[in-house]
Amino acid sequence: MQHDTSRQRRRFVWQAAFFLLFALAPVFNVFRYDLEAGHAWLLGMPWRLGLDAFMAGRISGLEAGGNLLLRLFLPLLLAAGGLMLIAWRWGRIYCGWLCPHFSAVETINQLMRRASGKLSIWDRQALPPRLADGSPRPSHPVWWIPTVLFAIGFAALWAVVLLTYLLPPAEVYGRLWALDPTRNQGIFLLVATSVLTLEFLFARHLFCRFGCAVGLFQSLAWMSNRGAMVVGFDKPRAADCAACYDNGGPGYAACEGVCPMRLRPRTAKHKMFACTQCAQCVSACGTVQEQRGKESLLRWVDQDAARRNEAQVSLTGNRD
């Protein structure tokens, strides 16, 4: 159990650190595209494609094509390939451990749970009123106030950060401090904040599952590797799942109740397509089983153990 708690703490640290990087990268020109300057910034240095020299007639079309290949397409392919390789081996670990959007999803989940007893307004039933360790899980409508305020505040913060990826951060923050954004900046911030607020409140799980291209391609890469890391279920000890429903347990399947993507972790891999490898299900199961002096029924597995845990029908429809 201590190991599971430590893992969730490390995950929180990684999420917080990456969110700070996401918010501060434009400020320090780590990476952004400057619409006013007409070029990108990378690690504090201007990153140009060399097309200005082509338009001015200083280089040939062949040289311009080479610049595009080396300075644009090759870096993009390397970055995308690296992400897909990580996903092929470890799944959507970027989503569960780094993604700033998923950080908001999890935070709003917990606030909404306090407000309504559910992790999403689309859940048909509220969660039973106990946590994995059997302690009370109270909810009260007053929590809708911080839930909505957090969604609006987080959406506004995202809108401002996204704007700094396109315009000089000093100008954006300076005008906001003076409460004097330009007309176009004001329109962008208003529209982006409104759209993101609605997404955070009503469609955050749908976006993660079906609307995020980064998440979708990670899932496809992960599903193509039968030996990839996956949450494995100790099937010979399946009877121990009854501990969730015994006196002192949460009264429901604890692993399903904590999953931020609303999945059922004990099912086959192809039904866990949107798993973000956050391991909250592993921690919840460990909490329940620890009270019985036993180990978690769920754990991360890979290679042969992952293949044994996989569904009987693969993604391509071929039987294992």
Side-chain angles (χ1 to χ4, degrees), residues 87 90-93 95 208-210 215-216 218-224 228-233 255-256 258-282 298-300 309-311 313 315:
W90 290 289
R92 288 178 63 168
I93 204 162
C95 296
C208 285
R209 288 184 180 182
F210 310 113
L216 176 62
Q218 284 182 95
S219 291
L220 290 173
W222 179 57
M223 294 295 290
S224 69
M229 185 177 73
V230 66
V231 174
F233 176 50
C255 58
E256 297 176 12
V258 298
C259 179
M261 297 297 285
R262 321 308 300 124
L263 304 175
R264 295 182 175 182
R266 293 171 294 174
T267 56
K269 180 179 177 179
H270 74 279
K271 295 182 179 180
M272 296 288 290
F273 184 79
C275 176
T276 62
Q277 310 291 37
C278 70
Q280 292 191 61
C281 56
V282 178
L298 300 176
R299 65 188 185 281
W300 274 341
N309 187 77
E310 195 177 350
V313 180
L315 184 64

Side-chain angles (χ1 to χ4, degrees), residues 142-224:
V142 73
W143 278 95
W144 277 113
I145 297 175
T147 301
V148 174
L149 289 178
F150 179 87
I152 295 173
F154 213 83
L157 175 60
W158 262 65
V160 172
V161 171
L162 291 176
L163 187 58
T164 62
Y165 274 87
L166 301 174
L167 296 175
E171 176 189 344
V172 174
Y173 288 118
R175 285 186 171 274
L176 286 176
W177 181 259
L179 299 179
D180 184 33
T182 66
R183 180 177 180 273
N184 289 338
Q185 290 175 8
I187 292 174
F188 178 91
L189 293 174
L190 179 61
V191 172
T193 299
S194 300
V195 171
L196 286 168
T197 297
L198 293 175
E199 192 267 339
F200 285 146
L201 288 174
F202 301 105
R204 60 191 184 278
H205 299 109
L206 295 176
F207 176 80
C208 285
R209 288 184 180 182
F210 310 113
C212 178
V214 175
L216 176 62
F217 282 104
Q218 284 182 95
S219 291
L220 290 173
W222 179 57
M223 294 295 290
S224 69

Side-chain angles (χ1 to χ4, degrees), residues 16-32 41 43-44 100 157 160-162 164-165 169-170 173:
F18 194 82
F19 186 85
L20 286 175
L21 176 62
F22 165 72
L24 297 177
V27 176
F28 297 101
N29 287 329
V30 175
F31 177 76
R32 69 183 183 91
W41 290 88
L43 301 178
L157 175 60
V160 172
V161 171
L162 291 176
T164 62
Y165 274 87
Y173 288 118

